Amino acid sequence: MTATILRSLRPTIALVTMLVLLLALMASPAAAGSAKKCQVRNVTRGLTYSKLAPALKAAKQKNKLTVRGVCVSRSTITNKRLTITGIRTKKSGPPTLKGTGKAPVLKIKGTKASVTLKGLTILGKRSQQLAFPGGGIRGIRAIVTLKN
């Protein structure tokens, strides 16, 4: 009798399992679409990137970059003059640079480096196991300007 009941419940159990998996996928950050995706635009050169590091590497002196969404970063800017501005929209939310805990969110270095950061949220984890724990911005012989 138990085997008969189990056989009759199999389609129901399978359907419930599929619904639970579907709901879990819909709730995942990946399913949120581009709502929080990183988008970096080099306004000066007319180029768009999905990650911050390549955008910073390709940027030339005095370029202006905009950031939308959440960009995971542990990038270094060496001897460049840049302006990085966060753009907040309903779809992308607050522009955020988020660290990994392995290095500063942004490291700005060099006597010719002058970076202005406007309207960005900087989030970073701290790891006490490193000589220079992650999180925040680290300037080394550079000019760093923060504006809200």
Side-chain angles (χ1 to χ4, degrees), residues 12-148:
T12 305
I13 292 170
L15 180 62
V16 169
T17 303
M18 287 176 55
L19 285 173
V20 168
L21 289 173
L22 181 62
L23 289 172
L25 284 172
M26 290 173 56
S28 74
S34 61
K36 297 288 182 181
K37 271 189 175 177
C38 174
Q39 182 190 54
V40 182
R41 177 131 174 95
N42 186 321
V43 178
T44 310
R45 300 179 69 204
L47 301 170
T48 302
Y49 302 84
S50 61
K51 294 183 179 180
L52 183 63
L56 293 174
K57 186 175 181 178
K60 303 294 183 197
Q61 292 290 355
K62 298 184 181 179
N63 279 185
K64 295 181 182 191
L65 283 70
T66 59
V67 174
R68 286 188 169 94
V70 178
C71 297
V72 176
S73 171
R74 51 175 224 218
S75 302
T76 300
I77 300 170
T78 304
N79 286 324
K80 291 185 183 179
R81 293 180 182 196
L82 301 174
T83 300
I84 305 171
T85 304
I87 305 293
R88 182 186 184 116
T89 65
K90 286 183 180 180
K91 186 176 180 181
S92 66
T96 304
L97 303 182
K98 183 177 177 184
T100 63
K102 297 179 181 177
V105 177
L106 275 179
K107 186 185 331 182
I108 303 164
K109 64 181 190 172
T111 55
K112 296 178 184 176
S114 177
V115 177
T116 300
L117 302 170
K118 299 179 186 177
L120 290 165
T121 299
I122 311 290
L123 298 175
K125 304 177 205 170
R126 286 186 62 89
S127 172
Q128 299 302 327
Q129 299 166 345
L130 302 170
F132 296 103
I137 302 165
R138 182 167 185 228
I140 305 167
R141 296 183 307 275
I143 298 170
V144 180
T145 306
L146 304 175
K147 295 183 178 181
N148 191 2

